[in-house]
Amino acid sequence: DVVLTQTPVAQPVTLGDQASISCRSSQSLVHSNGNTYLEWYLQKPGQSPQLLIYKVSNRFSGVPDRFIGSGSGSDFTLKISRVEPEDLGVYYCFQATHDPTFGSGTKLEIK
Amino acid sequence: QVTLKESGPGILQPSQTLSLTCTFSGFSLSTYGMGVGWIRQPSGKGLEWLANIWWDDDKYYNPSLKNRLTISKDTSNNQAFLKITNVDTADTATYYCARIYYSGDGFDYWGQGVMVTVSS
């Protein structure tokens, strides 16, 4: 099983500041076809998860450019600049390179 | 527009078989590259991927649950299904279905989820 370790577990943030979430994989997420299938989802309170980022750094349609995904190999980061109230919730990374697995989540909360 | 909606029994007893249905609109599971996945979430906990089914009837299962899961589809009625055999209390969760358009491009649309409780 590929284990995705997210840090921190909770990220207190001041509105308008930047937040950063790390996702580290127990194995390289580079597929044999050269792609890296690492995604980020946000689950707002009481809602279904929503796709933010796919293939490390591609923003899904309608996702603001304040959300930036980066990384390679087994080390990935989601940065959220100028945090707004609607950004609060739990962020999950997810890998589809191997048998798919989710990270354990990072709660973005108001400081 | 793309919508998905899950339905299920609500409550069932240990050792029974859980049958879930995902009814969708706005896309076809016969379209090249299209897929539907199932993901679950126990209350207050994280997400767990269960299974995917693709336009060409390819199926992929979570290895830790593989012997209990069966995913299938009815393309003409725009539905996907998941069966979980021999349920126990650990299967109590909200179950989501979600669309994937091209493997690796993410679960781009999700249903609202259906809560399932396993209790004697």
Side-chain angles (χ1 to χ4, degrees), chain A residues 1 37 39 41 43 47-51 54-55 60 92 94 99-100 102 104, chain B residues 39 41 45-49 63 96 103-108 110-112:
Chain A
D1 272 21
Y37 297 113
E39 299 153 21
Y41 296 86
Q43 187 173 30
Q47 295 188 19
S48 304
Q50 58 189 82
L51 175 65
Y54 62 96
K55 280 191 258 187
F60 179 56
Y92 294 93
F94 173 82
D99 287 327
F102 282 95
S104 51
Chain B
I39 301 100
Q41 183 174 39
K45 297 193 177 177
L47 300 166
E48 180 181 30
W49 171 77
Y96 298 99
S103 178
D105 283 1
F107 295 109
D108 56 359
W110 292 64
Q112 65 191 26

PDB file of all heavy atoms in Angstrom, chain A residues 1 37 39 41 43 47-51 54-55 60 92 94 99-100 102 104, chain B residues 39 41 45-49 63 96 103-108 110-112:
ATOM      1  N   ASP A   1       0.840  -1.206   0.000  1.00  0.00           N
ATOM      2  CA  ASP A   1       0.000   0.000   0.000  1.00  0.00           C
ATOM      3  C   ASP A   1       0.871   1.251   0.000  1.00  0.00           C
ATOM      4  O   ASP A   1       1.843   1.324   0.755  1.00  0.00           O
ATOM      5  CB  ASP A   1      -0.841   0.047   1.279  1.00  0.00           C
ATOM      6  CG  ASP A   1      -2.161  -0.692   1.114  1.00  0.00           C
ATOM      7  OD1 ASP A   1      -2.244  -1.530   0.209  1.00  0.00           O
ATOM      8  OD2 ASP A   1      -3.083  -0.416   1.912  1.00  0.00           O
ATOM      9  N   TYR A  37       0.444  11.014 -10.772  1.00  0.00           N
ATOM     10  CA  TYR A  37      -0.990  11.136 -10.525  1.00  0.00           C
ATOM     11  C   TYR A  37      -1.252  11.472  -9.061  1.00  0.00           C
ATOM     12  O   TYR A  37      -1.672  10.632  -8.269  1.00  0.00           O
ATOM     13  CB  TYR A  37      -1.706   9.854 -10.951  1.00  0.00           C
ATOM     14  CG  TYR A  37      -1.574   9.586 -12.428  1.00  0.00           C
ATOM     15  CD1 TYR A  37      -0.838   8.497 -12.907  1.00  0.00           C
ATOM     16  CD2 TYR A  37      -2.179  10.430 -13.354  1.00  0.00           C
ATOM     17  CE1 TYR A  37      -0.709   8.258 -14.269  1.00  0.00           C
ATOM     18  CE2 TYR A  37      -2.050  10.202 -14.718  1.00  0.00           C
ATOM     19  CZ  TYR A  37      -1.316   9.118 -15.177  1.00  0.00           C
ATOM     20  OH  TYR A  37      -1.196   8.888 -16.512  1.00  0.00           O
ATOM     21  N   GLU A  39      -3.348  14.180  -6.670  1.00  0.00           N
ATOM     22  CA  GLU A  39      -4.488  15.090  -6.696  1.00  0.00           C
ATOM     23  C   GLU A  39      -4.709  15.697  -5.311  1.00  0.00           C
ATOM     24  O   GLU A  39      -4.277  15.135  -4.296  1.00  0.00           O
ATOM     25  CB  GLU A  39      -5.744  14.335  -7.144  1.00  0.00           C
ATOM     26  CG  GLU A  39      -5.619  13.762  -8.541  1.00  0.00           C
ATOM     27  CD  GLU A  39      -6.481  12.538  -8.787  1.00  0.00           C
ATOM     28  OE1 GLU A  39      -7.476  12.313  -8.058  1.00  0.00           O
ATOM     29  OE2 GLU A  39      -6.167  11.787  -9.762  1.00  0.00           O
ATOM     30  N   TYR A  41      -7.927  17.452  -2.936  1.00  0.00           N
ATOM     31  CA  TYR A  41      -9.361  17.672  -2.754  1.00  0.00           C
ATOM     32  C   TYR A  41      -9.595  18.507  -1.506  1.00  0.00           C
ATOM     33  O   TYR A  41      -8.839  18.416  -0.534  1.00  0.00           O
ATOM     34  CB  TYR A  41     -10.109  16.341  -2.614  1.00  0.00           C
ATOM     35  CG  TYR A  41     -10.048  15.488  -3.852  1.00  0.00           C
ATOM     36  CD1 TYR A  41      -8.975  14.626  -4.074  1.00  0.00           C
ATOM     37  CD2 TYR A  41     -11.040  15.562  -4.820  1.00  0.00           C
ATOM     38  CE1 TYR A  41      -8.896  13.874  -5.231  1.00  0.00           C
ATOM     39  CE2 TYR A  41     -10.975  14.798  -5.988  1.00  0.00           C
ATOM     40  CZ  TYR A  41      -9.892  13.974  -6.171  1.00  0.00           C
ATOM     41  OH  TYR A  41      -9.818  13.220  -7.324  1.00  0.00           O
ATOM     42  N   GLN A  43     -12.671  19.243   1.271  1.00  0.00           N
ATOM     43  CA  GLN A  43     -14.011  18.904   1.759  1.00  0.00           C
ATOM     44  C   GLN A  43     -14.439  19.984   2.743  1.00  0.00           C
ATOM     45  O   GLN A  43     -13.910  20.069   3.858  1.00  0.00           O
ATOM     46  CB  GLN A  43     -14.034  17.532   2.418  1.00  0.00           C
ATOM     47  CG  GLN A  43     -15.449  17.089   2.776  1.00  0.00           C
ATOM     48  CD  GLN A  43     -15.509  15.652   3.271  1.00  0.00           C
ATOM     49  OE1 GLN A  43     -14.563  15.131   3.863  1.00  0.00           O
ATOM     50  NE2 GLN A  43     -16.625  14.982   3.025  1.00  0.00           N
ATOM     51  N   GLN A  47     -20.118  19.023   3.298  1.00  0.00           N
ATOM     52  CA  GLN A  47     -20.202  18.866   1.846  1.00  0.00           C
ATOM     53  C   GLN A  47     -19.393  17.664   1.363  1.00  0.00           C
ATOM     54  O   GLN A  47     -18.586  17.098   2.101  1.00  0.00           O
ATOM     55  CB  GLN A  47     -19.675  20.132   1.151  1.00  0.00           C
ATOM     56  CG  GLN A  47     -20.513  21.363   1.401  1.00  0.00           C
ATOM     57  CD  GLN A  47     -20.061  22.538   0.551  1.00  0.00           C
ATOM     58  OE1 GLN A  47     -19.371  22.376  -0.463  1.00  0.00           O
ATOM     59  NE2 GLN A  47     -20.446  23.748   0.961  1.00  0.00           N
ATOM     60  N   SER A  48     -19.629  17.297   0.102  1.00  0.00           N
ATOM     61  CA  SER A  48     -18.809  16.279  -0.548  1.00  0.00           C
ATOM     62  C   SER A  48     -17.451  16.880  -0.889  1.00  0.00           C
ATOM     63  O   SER A  48     -17.326  18.102  -1.046  1.00  0.00           O
ATOM     64  CB  SER A  48     -19.488  15.812  -1.843  1.00  0.00           C
ATOM     65  OG  SER A  48     -20.796  15.350  -1.590  1.00  0.00           O
ATOM     66  N   PRO A  49     -16.433  16.047  -1.022  1.00  0.00           N
ATOM     67  CA  PRO A  49     -15.128  16.568  -1.466  1.00  0.00           C
ATOM     68  C   PRO A  49     -15.246  17.198  -2.859  1.00  0.00           C
ATOM     69  O   PRO A  49     -16.133  16.855  -3.632  1.00  0.00           O
ATOM     70  CB  PRO A  49     -14.249  15.310  -1.506  1.00  0.00           C
ATOM     71  CG  PRO A  49     -14.909  14.359  -0.555  1.00  0.00           C
ATOM     72  CD  PRO A  49     -16.385  14.619  -0.697  1.00  0.00           C
ATOM     73  N   GLN A  50     -14.342  18.116  -3.137  1.00  0.00           N
ATOM     74  CA  GLN A  50     -14.296  18.729  -4.464  1.00  0.00           C
ATOM     75  C   GLN A  50     -12.855  18.732  -4.957  1.00  0.00           C
ATOM     76  O   GLN A  50     -11.914  18.937  -4.184  1.00  0.00           O
ATOM     77  CB  GLN A  50     -14.864  20.149  -4.444  1.00  0.00           C
ATOM     78  CG  GLN A  50     -14.178  21.097  -3.488  1.00  0.00           C
ATOM     79  CD  GLN A  50     -14.913  22.423  -3.359  1.00  0.00           C
ATOM     80  OE1 GLN A  50     -15.890  22.563  -2.615  1.00  0.00           O
ATOM     81  NE2 GLN A  50     -14.441  23.420  -4.086  1.00  0.00           N
ATOM     82  N   LEU A  51     -12.704  18.488  -6.256  1.00  0.00           N
ATOM     83  CA  LEU A  51     -11.382  18.418  -6.868  1.00  0.00           C
ATOM     84  C   LEU A  51     -10.792  19.811  -7.007  1.00  0.00           C
ATOM     85  O   LEU A  51     -11.448  20.728  -7.504  1.00  0.00           O
ATOM     86  CB  LEU A  51     -11.500  17.752  -8.249  1.00  0.00           C
ATOM     87  CG  LEU A  51     -10.229  17.687  -9.100  1.00  0.00           C
ATOM     88  CD1 LEU A  51      -9.171  16.805  -8.440  1.00  0.00           C
ATOM     89  CD2 LEU A  51     -10.571  17.152 -10.495  1.00  0.00           C
ATOM     90  N   TYR A  54      -5.124  18.248 -10.128  1.00  0.00           N
ATOM     91  CA  TYR A  54      -4.812  16.907 -10.592  1.00  0.00           C
ATOM     92  C   TYR A  54      -3.445  16.915 -11.272  1.00  0.00           C
ATOM     93  O   TYR A  54      -2.976  17.971 -11.724  1.00  0.00           O
ATOM     94  CB  TYR A  54      -5.905  16.371 -11.528  1.00  0.00           C
ATOM     95  CG  TYR A  54      -6.099  17.181 -12.801  1.00  0.00           C
ATOM     96  CD1 TYR A  54      -5.466  16.806 -13.978  1.00  0.00           C
ATOM     97  CD2 TYR A  54      -6.907  18.312 -12.807  1.00  0.00           C
ATOM     98  CE1 TYR A  54      -5.634  17.541 -15.136  1.00  0.00           C
ATOM     99  CE2 TYR A  54      -7.081  19.058 -13.961  1.00  0.00           C
ATOM    100  CZ  TYR A  54      -6.439  18.670 -15.125  1.00  0.00           C
ATOM    101  OH  TYR A  54      -6.601  19.409 -16.267  1.00  0.00           O
ATOM    102  N   LYS A  55      -2.849  15.755 -11.357  1.00  0.00           N
ATOM    103  CA  LYS A  55      -1.492  15.608 -11.913  1.00  0.00           C
ATOM    104  C   LYS A  55      -0.565  16.690 -11.359  1.00  0.00           C
ATOM    105  O   LYS A  55       0.059  17.447 -12.111  1.00  0.00           O
ATOM    106  CB  LYS A  55      -1.532  15.600 -13.440  1.00  0.00           C
ATOM    107  CG  LYS A  55      -1.941  14.241 -14.000  1.00  0.00           C
ATOM    108  CD  LYS A  55      -1.735  14.128 -15.502  1.00  0.00           C
ATOM    109  CE  LYS A  55      -3.047  14.300 -16.202  1.00  0.00           C
ATOM    110  NZ  LYS A  55      -3.008  14.061 -17.646  1.00  0.00           N
ATOM    111  N   PHE A  60      -8.260  22.279 -11.491  1.00  0.00           N
ATOM    112  CA  PHE A  60      -9.532  21.890 -12.098  1.00  0.00           C
ATOM    113  C   PHE A  60     -10.282  23.159 -12.491  1.00  0.00           C
ATOM    114  O   PHE A  60     -10.069  24.239 -11.932  1.00  0.00           O
ATOM    115  CB  PHE A  60     -10.337  21.036 -11.122  1.00  0.00           C
ATOM    116  CG  PHE A  60     -11.682  20.596 -11.646  1.00  0.00           C
ATOM    117  CD1 PHE A  60     -11.789  19.886 -12.833  1.00  0.00           C
ATOM    118  CD2 PHE A  60     -12.845  20.892 -10.948  1.00  0.00           C
ATOM    119  CE1 PHE A  60     -13.027  19.481 -13.314  1.00  0.00           C
ATOM    120  CE2 PHE A  60     -14.083  20.491 -11.425  1.00  0.00           C
ATOM    121  CZ  PHE A  60     -14.173  19.798 -12.606  1.00  0.00           C
ATOM    122  N   TYR A  92      -7.387  16.922   1.357  1.00  0.00           N
ATOM    123  CA  TYR A  92      -6.853  15.575   1.203  1.00  0.00           C
ATOM    124  C   TYR A  92      -5.999  15.496  -0.058  1.00  0.00           C
ATOM    125  O   TYR A  92      -6.409  15.974  -1.118  1.00  0.00           O
ATOM    126  CB  TYR A  92      -7.977  14.547   1.055  1.00  0.00           C
ATOM    127  CG  TYR A  92      -8.854  14.373   2.261  1.00  0.00           C
ATOM    128  CD1 TYR A  92     -10.042  15.094   2.405  1.00  0.00           C
ATOM    129  CD2 TYR A  92      -8.511  13.478   3.275  1.00  0.00           C
ATOM    130  CE1 TYR A  92     -10.858  14.929   3.515  1.00  0.00           C
ATOM    131  CE2 TYR A  92      -9.320  13.312   4.390  1.00  0.00           C
ATOM    132  CZ  TYR A  92     -10.491  14.045   4.497  1.00  0.00           C
ATOM    133  OH  TYR A  92     -11.300  13.880   5.604  1.00  0.00           O
ATOM    134  N   PHE A  94      -4.352  12.676  -2.769  1.00  0.00           N
ATOM    135  CA  PHE A  94      -4.801  11.379  -3.283  1.00  0.00           C
ATOM    136  C   PHE A  94      -3.864  10.975  -4.406  1.00  0.00           C
ATOM    137  O   PHE A  94      -3.496  11.810  -5.236  1.00  0.00           O
ATOM    138  CB  PHE A  94      -6.235  11.511  -3.806  1.00  0.00           C
ATOM    139  CG  PHE A  94      -6.775  10.289  -4.526  1.00  0.00           C
ATOM    140  CD1 PHE A  94      -7.287   9.223  -3.809  1.00  0.00           C
ATOM    141  CD2 PHE A  94      -6.789  10.225  -5.911  1.00  0.00           C
ATOM    142  CE1 PHE A  94      -7.803   8.106  -4.456  1.00  0.00           C
ATOM    143  CE2 PHE A  94      -7.295   9.111  -6.571  1.00  0.00           C
ATOM    144  CZ  PHE A  94      -7.799   8.055  -5.843  1.00  0.00           C
ATOM    145  N   ASP A  99      -2.184   1.457  -6.567  1.00  0.00           N
ATOM    146  CA  ASP A  99      -3.538   1.269  -6.030  1.00  0.00           C
ATOM    147  C   ASP A  99      -3.906   2.550  -5.273  1.00  0.00           C
ATOM    148  O   ASP A  99      -3.209   2.944  -4.348  1.00  0.00           O
ATOM    149  CB  ASP A  99      -3.587   0.075  -5.094  1.00  0.00           C
ATOM    150  CG  ASP A  99      -3.498  -1.243  -5.845  1.00  0.00           C
ATOM    151  OD1 ASP A  99      -4.007  -1.311  -6.984  1.00  0.00           O
ATOM    152  OD2 ASP A  99      -2.928  -2.208  -5.297  1.00  0.00           O
ATOM    153  N   PRO A 100      -5.010   3.211  -5.670  1.00  0.00           N
ATOM    154  CA  PRO A 100      -5.296   4.554  -5.145  1.00  0.00           C
ATOM    155  C   PRO A 100      -5.441   4.622  -3.631  1.00  0.00           C
ATOM    156  O   PRO A 100      -6.042   3.734  -3.010  1.00  0.00           O
ATOM    157  CB  PRO A 100      -6.620   4.912  -5.829  1.00  0.00           C
ATOM    158  CG  PRO A 100      -6.611   4.133  -7.106  1.00  0.00           C
ATOM    159  CD  PRO A 100      -5.969   2.820  -6.726  1.00  0.00           C
ATOM    160  N   PHE A 102      -5.843   7.774  -0.292  1.00  0.00           N
ATOM    161  CA  PHE A 102      -5.966   9.154   0.181  1.00  0.00           C
ATOM    162  C   PHE A 102      -5.002   9.384   1.337  1.00  0.00           C
ATOM    163  O   PHE A 102      -4.694   8.455   2.107  1.00  0.00           O
ATOM    164  CB  PHE A 102      -7.384   9.410   0.710  1.00  0.00           C
ATOM    165  CG  PHE A 102      -8.420   9.624  -0.359  1.00  0.00           C
ATOM    166  CD1 PHE A 102      -9.193   8.558  -0.805  1.00  0.00           C
ATOM    167  CD2 PHE A 102      -8.645  10.882  -0.897  1.00  0.00           C
ATOM    168  CE1 PHE A 102     -10.164   8.751  -1.786  1.00  0.00           C
ATOM    169  CE2 PHE A 102      -9.612  11.082  -1.871  1.00  0.00           C
ATOM    170  CZ  PHE A 102     -10.371  10.012  -2.322  1.00  0.00           C
ATOM    171  N   SER A 104      -4.427  11.398   5.018  1.00  0.00           N
ATOM    172  CA  SER A 104      -5.319  11.410   6.182  1.00  0.00           C
ATOM    173  C   SER A 104      -5.997  12.749   6.421  1.00  0.00           C
ATOM    174  O   SER A 104      -6.853  12.874   7.282  1.00  0.00           O
ATOM    175  CB  SER A 104      -4.536  11.004   7.433  1.00  0.00           C
ATOM    176  OG  SER A 104      -3.362  11.781   7.517  1.00  0.00           O
TER     177      SER A 104
ATOM    178  N   ILE B  39     -16.152   5.945  -3.171  1.00  0.00           N
ATOM    179  CA  ILE B  39     -15.302   6.361  -2.055  1.00  0.00           C
ATOM    180  C   ILE B  39     -16.198   6.407  -0.814  1.00  0.00           C
ATOM    181  O   ILE B  39     -17.374   6.777  -0.899  1.00  0.00           O
ATOM    182  CB  ILE B  39     -14.729   7.785  -2.306  1.00  0.00           C
ATOM    183  CG1 ILE B  39     -13.906   7.815  -3.612  1.00  0.00           C
ATOM    184  CG2 ILE B  39     -13.902   8.260  -1.128  1.00  0.00           C
ATOM    185  CD1 ILE B  39     -14.639   8.390  -4.781  1.00  0.00           C
ATOM    186  N   GLN B  41     -16.539   7.292   3.645  1.00  0.00           N
ATOM    187  CA  GLN B  41     -16.008   8.109   4.732  1.00  0.00           C
ATOM    188  C   GLN B  41     -16.778   7.828   6.015  1.00  0.00           C
ATOM    189  O   GLN B  41     -17.934   8.263   6.157  1.00  0.00           O
ATOM    190  CB  GLN B  41     -16.110   9.588   4.379  1.00  0.00           C
ATOM    191  CG  GLN B  41     -15.518  10.532   5.395  1.00  0.00           C
ATOM    192  CD  GLN B  41     -15.531  11.961   4.908  1.00  0.00           C
ATOM    193  OE1 GLN B  41     -16.488  12.414   4.277  1.00  0.00           O
ATOM    194  NE2 GLN B  41     -14.452  12.683   5.174  1.00  0.00           N
ATOM    195  N   LYS B  45     -14.163  10.854  10.016  1.00  0.00           N
ATOM    196  CA  LYS B  45     -12.866  10.280   9.620  1.00  0.00           C
ATOM    197  C   LYS B  45     -12.534  10.635   8.173  1.00  0.00           C
ATOM    198  O   LYS B  45     -13.217  11.442   7.535  1.00  0.00           O
ATOM    199  CB  LYS B  45     -12.882   8.772   9.833  1.00  0.00           C
ATOM    200  CG  LYS B  45     -13.065   8.402  11.300  1.00  0.00           C
ATOM    201  CD  LYS B  45     -12.765   6.949  11.562  1.00  0.00           C
ATOM    202  CE  LYS B  45     -12.889   6.657  13.052  1.00  0.00           C
ATOM    203  NZ  LYS B  45     -12.684   5.236  13.353  1.00  0.00           N
ATOM    204  N   GLY B  46     -11.472  10.040   7.655  1.00  0.00           N
ATOM    205  CA  GLY B  46     -10.986  10.368   6.332  1.00  0.00           C
ATOM    206  C   GLY B  46     -11.655   9.567   5.227  1.00  0.00           C
ATOM    207  O   GLY B  46     -12.569   8.776   5.452  1.00  0.00           O
ATOM    208  N   LEU B  47     -11.163   9.799   4.023  1.00  0.00           N
ATOM    209  CA  LEU B  47     -11.721   9.184   2.819  1.00  0.00           C
ATOM    210  C   LEU B  47     -10.995   7.887   2.487  1.00  0.00           C
ATOM    211  O   LEU B  47      -9.783   7.770   2.670  1.00  0.00           O
ATOM    212  CB  LEU B  47     -11.579  10.153   1.643  1.00  0.00           C
ATOM    213  CG  LEU B  47     -12.274  11.500   1.810  1.00  0.00           C
ATOM    214  CD1 LEU B  47     -11.778  12.481   0.752  1.00  0.00           C
ATOM    215  CD2 LEU B  47     -13.785  11.347   1.714  1.00  0.00           C
ATOM    216  N   GLU B  48     -11.758   6.923   1.973  1.00  0.00           N
ATOM    217  CA  GLU B  48     -11.191   5.640   1.547  1.00  0.00           C
ATOM    218  C   GLU B  48     -11.715   5.317   0.154  1.00  0.00           C
ATOM    219  O   GLU B  48     -12.928   5.214  -0.045  1.00  0.00           O
ATOM    220  CB  GLU B  48     -11.554   4.534   2.528  1.00  0.00           C
ATOM    221  CG  GLU B  48     -10.991   3.171   2.144  1.00  0.00           C
ATOM    222  CD  GLU B  48     -11.371   2.067   3.123  1.00  0.00           C
ATOM    223  OE1 GLU B  48     -12.450   2.154   3.735  1.00  0.00           O
ATOM    224  OE2 GLU B  48     -10.584   1.115   3.260  1.00  0.00           O
ATOM    225  N   TRP B  49     -10.790   5.145  -0.797  1.00  0.00           N
ATOM    226  CA  TRP B  49     -11.184   4.733  -2.138  1.00  0.00           C
ATOM    227  C   TRP B  49     -11.562   3.260  -2.124  1.00  0.00           C
ATOM    228  O   TRP B  49     -10.861   2.430  -1.528  1.00  0.00           O
ATOM    229  CB  TRP B  49     -10.043   4.981  -3.124  1.00  0.00           C
ATOM    230  CG  TRP B  49     -10.300   4.392  -4.466  1.00  0.00           C
ATOM    231  CD1 TRP B  49     -11.125   4.881  -5.443  1.00  0.00           C
ATOM    232  CD2 TRP B  49      -9.768   3.161  -4.970  1.00  0.00           C
ATOM    233  NE1 TRP B  49     -11.125   4.043  -6.525  1.00  0.00           N
ATOM    234  CE2 TRP B  49     -10.306   2.990  -6.268  1.00  0.00           C
ATOM    235  CE3 TRP B  49      -8.893   2.204  -4.480  1.00  0.00           C
ATOM    236  CZ2 TRP B  49      -9.986   1.895  -7.059  1.00  0.00           C
ATOM    237  CZ3 TRP B  49      -8.568   1.110  -5.266  1.00  0.00           C
ATOM    238  CH2 TRP B  49      -9.117   0.959  -6.541  1.00  0.00           C
ATOM    239  N   PRO B  63      -7.348  -3.191  -2.802  1.00  0.00           N
ATOM    240  CA  PRO B  63      -6.873  -4.550  -2.521  1.00  0.00           C
ATOM    241  C   PRO B  63      -7.287  -5.058  -1.143  1.00  0.00           C
ATOM    242  O   PRO B  63      -7.502  -6.259  -0.965  1.00  0.00           O
ATOM    243  CB  PRO B  63      -5.342  -4.425  -2.590  1.00  0.00           C
ATOM    244  CG  PRO B  63      -5.083  -3.180  -3.349  1.00  0.00           C
ATOM    245  CD  PRO B  63      -6.248  -2.279  -3.118  1.00  0.00           C
ATOM    246  N   TYR B  96     -19.820   7.727  -1.285  1.00  0.00           N
ATOM    247  CA  TYR B  96     -19.896   8.663  -2.402  1.00  0.00           C
ATOM    248  C   TYR B  96     -19.584   7.944  -3.717  1.00  0.00           C
ATOM    249  O   TYR B  96     -18.715   7.071  -3.752  1.00  0.00           O
ATOM    250  CB  TYR B  96     -18.846   9.772  -2.249  1.00  0.00           C
ATOM    251  CG  TYR B  96     -18.980  10.656  -1.044  1.00  0.00           C
ATOM    252  CD1 TYR B  96     -18.213  10.434   0.086  1.00  0.00           C
ATOM    253  CD2 TYR B  96     -19.837  11.752  -1.064  1.00  0.00           C
ATOM    254  CE1 TYR B  96     -18.310  11.271   1.193  1.00  0.00           C
ATOM    255  CE2 TYR B  96     -19.938  12.595   0.030  1.00  0.00           C
ATOM    256  CZ  TYR B  96     -19.172  12.346   1.155  1.00  0.00           C
ATOM    257  OH  TYR B  96     -19.270  13.187   2.241  1.00  0.00           O
ATOM    258  N   SER B 103      -8.382   8.650 -16.763  1.00  0.00           N
ATOM    259  CA  SER B 103      -7.665   8.188 -15.594  1.00  0.00           C
ATOM    260  C   SER B 103      -6.562   9.169 -15.249  1.00  0.00           C
ATOM    261  O   SER B 103      -5.795   9.590 -16.115  1.00  0.00           O
ATOM    262  CB  SER B 103      -7.060   6.812 -15.904  1.00  0.00           C
ATOM    263  OG  SER B 103      -6.316   6.368 -14.798  1.00  0.00           O
ATOM    264  N   GLY B 104      -6.528   9.565 -13.981  1.00  0.00           N
ATOM    265  CA  GLY B 104      -5.486  10.476 -13.545  1.00  0.00           C
ATOM    266  C   GLY B 104      -5.878  11.927 -13.572  1.00  0.00           C
ATOM    267  O   GLY B 104      -5.116  12.774 -13.103  1.00  0.00           O
ATOM    268  N   ASP B 105      -7.073  12.230 -14.089  1.00  0.00           N
ATOM    269  CA  ASP B 105      -7.530  13.619 -14.118  1.00  0.00           C
ATOM    270  C   ASP B 105      -8.471  13.942 -12.961  1.00  0.00           C
ATOM    271  O   ASP B 105      -9.097  14.996 -12.951  1.00  0.00           O
ATOM    272  CB  ASP B 105      -8.210  13.940 -15.451  1.00  0.00           C
ATOM    273  CG  ASP B 105      -7.195  14.151 -16.572  1.00  0.00           C
ATOM    274  OD1 ASP B 105      -5.974  14.021 -16.303  1.00  0.00           O
ATOM    275  OD2 ASP B 105      -7.606  14.434 -17.701  1.00  0.00           O
ATOM    276  N   GLY B 106      -8.577  13.028 -12.004  1.00  0.00           N
ATOM    277  CA  GLY B 106      -9.294  13.335 -10.781  1.00  0.00           C
ATOM    278  C   GLY B 106     -10.764  12.984 -10.808  1.00  0.00           C
ATOM    279  O   GLY B 106     -11.378  12.855 -11.863  1.00  0.00           O
ATOM    280  N   PHE B 107     -11.308  12.846  -9.607  1.00  0.00           N
ATOM    281  CA  PHE B 107     -12.766  12.687  -9.450  1.00  0.00           C
ATOM    282  C   PHE B 107     -13.357  14.092  -9.560  1.00  0.00           C
ATOM    283  O   PHE B 107     -13.333  14.852  -8.592  1.00  0.00           O
ATOM    284  CB  PHE B 107     -13.092  12.076  -8.085  1.00  0.00           C
ATOM    285  CG  PHE B 107     -12.598  10.668  -7.896  1.00  0.00           C
ATOM    286  CD1 PHE B 107     -11.545  10.391  -7.041  1.00  0.00           C
ATOM    287  CD2 PHE B 107     -13.206   9.610  -8.556  1.00  0.00           C
ATOM    288  CE1 PHE B 107     -11.097   9.090  -6.852  1.00  0.00           C
ATOM    289  CE2 PHE B 107     -12.768   8.303  -8.378  1.00  0.00           C
ATOM    290  CZ  PHE B 107     -11.707   8.046  -7.528  1.00  0.00           C
ATOM    291  N   ASP B 108     -13.867  14.446 -10.717  1.00  0.00           N
ATOM    292  CA  ASP B 108     -14.206  15.844 -10.961  1.00  0.00           C
ATOM    293  C   ASP B 108     -15.622  16.227 -10.529  1.00  0.00           C
ATOM    294  O   ASP B 108     -15.886  17.406 -10.276  1.00  0.00           O
ATOM    295  CB  ASP B 108     -13.941  16.242 -12.414  1.00  0.00           C
ATOM    296  CG  ASP B 108     -14.671  15.367 -13.420  1.00  0.00           C
ATOM    297  OD1 ASP B 108     -15.391  14.420 -13.007  1.00  0.00           O
ATOM    298  OD2 ASP B 108     -14.510  15.629 -14.631  1.00  0.00           O
ATOM    299  N   TRP B 110     -18.837  14.870  -7.850  1.00  0.00           N
ATOM    300  CA  TRP B 110     -19.187  13.961  -6.765  1.00  0.00           C
ATOM    301  C   TRP B 110     -20.685  14.025  -6.485  1.00  0.00           C
ATOM    302  O   TRP B 110     -21.318  15.064  -6.654  1.00  0.00           O
ATOM    303  CB  TRP B 110     -18.453  14.365  -5.478  1.00  0.00           C
ATOM    304  CG  TRP B 110     -16.971  14.179  -5.517  1.00  0.00           C
ATOM    305  CD1 TRP B 110     -16.074  14.814  -6.331  1.00  0.00           C
ATOM    306  CD2 TRP B 110     -16.213  13.315  -4.673  1.00  0.00           C
ATOM    307  NE1 TRP B 110     -14.806  14.390  -6.046  1.00  0.00           N
ATOM    308  CE2 TRP B 110     -14.852  13.476  -5.036  1.00  0.00           C
ATOM    309  CE3 TRP B 110     -16.527  12.431  -3.650  1.00  0.00           C
ATOM    310  CZ2 TRP B 110     -13.819  12.772  -4.405  1.00  0.00           C
ATOM    311  CZ3 TRP B 110     -15.507  11.736  -3.013  1.00  0.00           C
ATOM    312  CH2 TRP B 110     -14.171  11.914  -3.389  1.00  0.00           C
ATOM    313  N   GLY B 111     -21.210  12.898  -6.015  1.00  0.00           N
ATOM    314  CA  GLY B 111     -22.568  12.897  -5.500  1.00  0.00           C
ATOM    315  C   GLY B 111     -22.587  13.480  -4.099  1.00  0.00           C
ATOM    316  O   GLY B 111     -21.546  13.792  -3.512  1.00  0.00           O
ATOM    317  N   GLN B 112     -23.779  13.593  -3.552  1.00  0.00           N
ATOM    318  CA  GLN B 112     -23.947  14.172  -2.218  1.00  0.00           C
ATOM    319  C   GLN B 112     -23.622  13.173  -1.126  1.00  0.00           C
ATOM    320  O   GLN B 112     -23.467  13.555   0.033  1.00  0.00           O
ATOM    321  CB  GLN B 112     -25.391  14.666  -2.055  1.00  0.00           C
ATOM    322  CG  GLN B 112     -26.431  13.542  -2.089  1.00  0.00           C
ATOM    323  CD  GLN B 112     -27.854  14.048  -2.203  1.00  0.00           C
ATOM    324  OE1 GLN B 112     -28.109  15.137  -2.714  1.00  0.00           O
ATOM    325  NE2 GLN B 112     -28.803  13.241  -1.739  1.00  0.00           N
TER     326      GLN B 112
END
